[in-house]
Amino acid sequence: MKEFFCGIDLGGTKIDIGIVTREGKVIHNIKIPTEVENGPENAIKRMKETINVLLNKLDLSIEDLGGIGIGSPGPLDTKEGVILKTSNLTGWENTRIVDMLKEDFKNIPIRLENDANAATIGEYLFGSGKNHKDFVYITVSTGVGGGAIVNGHFQSGANSNAFEIGHTILNFNGPKCNCGNYGCIEAYASGTALERFAKEAIDSGEESLIKELAGEGKIKGEHIVGAAKEKDPLALKLIEDEGYYLGLSLYNVIANYNPEVIAIGGGLSNALNMFYDKMMETIKGMSLKANIEACQIKKAERSDCGLVGAAALSFYEY
Ligand SMILES: [Zn+2]
């Protein structure tokens, strides 16, 4: 049985490539810039070079790998191994990434999966989902995504697009989302939404430390979190709203899935303690008591769950 697997966590700004064991231990990994503007051929060529560098470093050959798994922003055709069209990878439409990697790595399985799905599998197998058969992972960063494990089985759906939680709707009269619909969770609770709410308030004349922290630049999540730590009233209100929106979102998740664990990852999870109380108060106010008692809601344990989950695509059956 092969012990080593290659994971590729493909993002809009960087690509994390690592050799990972069956137990989820990262033996060695290298991050390279995606350089989206230089196109997919260029990036995939550098991915191949990086895999060879990792193999050389560890004194392994390609035959020692049980497979290569790629987690990529979607939508994808996972059966054909194609990146269809994604706002994070402009100009990469219809990239046959699996075939392109197979040109150099012929005799090992190569599998493509949605990045949030790969992260869910990683956190389930090697993080806070370990030993829990009903598990949900949510990532809150630029967007909102996630995945669900039901009775030990990852839910991929008919064409790998199940659990698009970011595009479920909280309010049909809400703000417009990137997907074209109105009032999606992503339009309320993502890092991008948090920044937008801050900008709208400041543009309408509200005084806030956020403005000073951002200076001439764009308002970022870190400015809002920084201002909230200084008890800035607008920042505190925005963080409280974030807790409320995520609470509503997780109430829906609990009502649908009755999970034992919900793990929250992504950039905003680093500020989870600031909006945790409001989030829990919202959930508890709405959910069935028994469902809340059965569910732990916590920060994801593996910040590298996207990488280890991609590597696990070669051996985790779903
Ligand atoms: Zn949407």
Side-chain angles (χ1 to χ4, degrees):
M1 196 160 60
K2 301 271 173 76
E3 262 314 306
F4 300 107
F5 302 86
C6 176
I8 302 176
D9 184 13
L10 170 60
T13 52
K14 63 177 168 37
I15 308 168
D16 192 2
I17 305 173
I19 305 296
V20 179
T21 68
R22 200 174 277 273
E23 288 74 39
K25 183 171 189 295
V26 180
I27 302 289
H28 201 82
N29 70 310
I30 297 176
K31 289 178 187 171
I32 59 172
T34 312
E35 296 171 2
V36 172
E37 64 286 0
N38 292 331
E41 288 81 10
N42 176 286
I44 291 168
K45 180 169 165 279
R46 288 182 290 114
M47 279 180 209
K48 291 174 181 176
E49 288 165 3
T50 307
I51 293 171
N52 284 323
V53 168
L54 285 165
L55 290 172
N56 282 337
K57 259 194 175 114
L58 301 171
D59 208 14
L60 295 172
S61 70
I62 190 71
E63 287 76 26
D64 293 318
L65 292 183
I68 298 174
I70 312 142
S72 164
L76 314 168
D77 181 336
T78 53
K79 289 194 181 83
E80 293 293 321
V82 184
I83 298 170
L84 295 176
K85 186 176 171 37
T86 153
S87 54
N88 289 337
L89 301 170
T90 312
W92 287 42
E93 290 78 15
N94 302 314
T95 296
R96 303 191 67 84
I97 187 167
V98 168
D99 284 348
M100 290 163 83
L101 287 169
K102 279 204 163 154
E103 286 168 10
D104 285 46
F105 307 122
K106 288 189 178 62
N107 297 320
I108 60 167
I110 303 181
R111 192 164 180 184
L112 175 69
E113 186 51 89
N114 174 290
D115 50 2
N117 292 355
T120 301
I121 291 167
E123 182 70 16
Y124 167 63
L125 293 176
F126 311 124
S128 56
K130 230 176 176 176
N131 306 319
H132 297 286
K133 289 197 299 181
D134 290 285
F135 170 77
V136 166
Y137 173 78
I138 312 256
T139 170
V140 188
S141 57
T142 318
V144 177
I149 308 278
V150 175
N151 198 22
H153 297 284
F154 176 75
Q155 305 295 297
S156 70
N159 54 346
S160 300
N161 290 323
F163 205 88
E164 277 290 335
I165 184 171
H167 302 291
T168 55
I169 290 169
L170 286 183
N171 172 10
F172 57 77
N173 286 320
K176 191 164 186 183
C177 180
N178 280 332
C179 72
N181 291 326
Y182 290 85
C184 294
I185 287 178
E186 187 160 300
Y188 276 106
S190 65
T192 316
L194 181 65
E195 291 161 7
R196 191 188 71 243
F197 287 131
K199 185 174 185 302
E200 284 169 3
I202 287 166
D203 286 352
S204 74
E206 276 197 56
E207 286 301 322
S208 169
L209 180 59
I210 297 168
K211 199 174 158 183
E212 285 168 45
L213 294 177
E216 295 299 304
K218 190 177 164 293
I219 293 169
K220 291 187 179 160
E222 67 206 57
H223 303 133
I224 301 162
V225 170
K229 284 181 181 158
E230 299 298 323
K231 306 267 181 281
D232 175 75
L234 175 63
L236 288 172
K237 166 82 170 58
L238 290 166
I239 293 286
E240 173 155 320
D241 289 349
E242 176 69 30
Y244 176 66
Y245 299 139
L246 267 183
L248 278 182
S249 309
L250 297 192
Y251 156 72
N252 285 312
V253 167
I254 291 167
N256 277 295
Y257 288 90
N258 186 198
E260 295 171 71
V261 175
I262 299 176
I264 303 174
L268 261 183
S269 69
N270 293 321
L272 183 63
N273 62 341
M274 299 181 80
F275 52 81
Y276 189 83
D277 289 348
K278 182 67 187 180
M279 183 181 84
M280 291 309 296
E281 177 197 314
T282 308
I283 299 168
K284 283 180 181 163
M286 304 172 90
S287 302
L288 284 175
K289 196 164 172 271
N291 287 359
I292 282 292
E293 283 169 1
C295 185
Q296 305 170 42
I297 303 174
K298 51 167 81 167
K299 188 171 183 297
E301 285 171 14
R302 295 289 301 246
S303 60
D304 60 356
C305 57
L307 176 69
V308 292
L313 294 173
S314 303
F315 62 86
Y316 173 66
E317 300 279 342
Y318 61 95

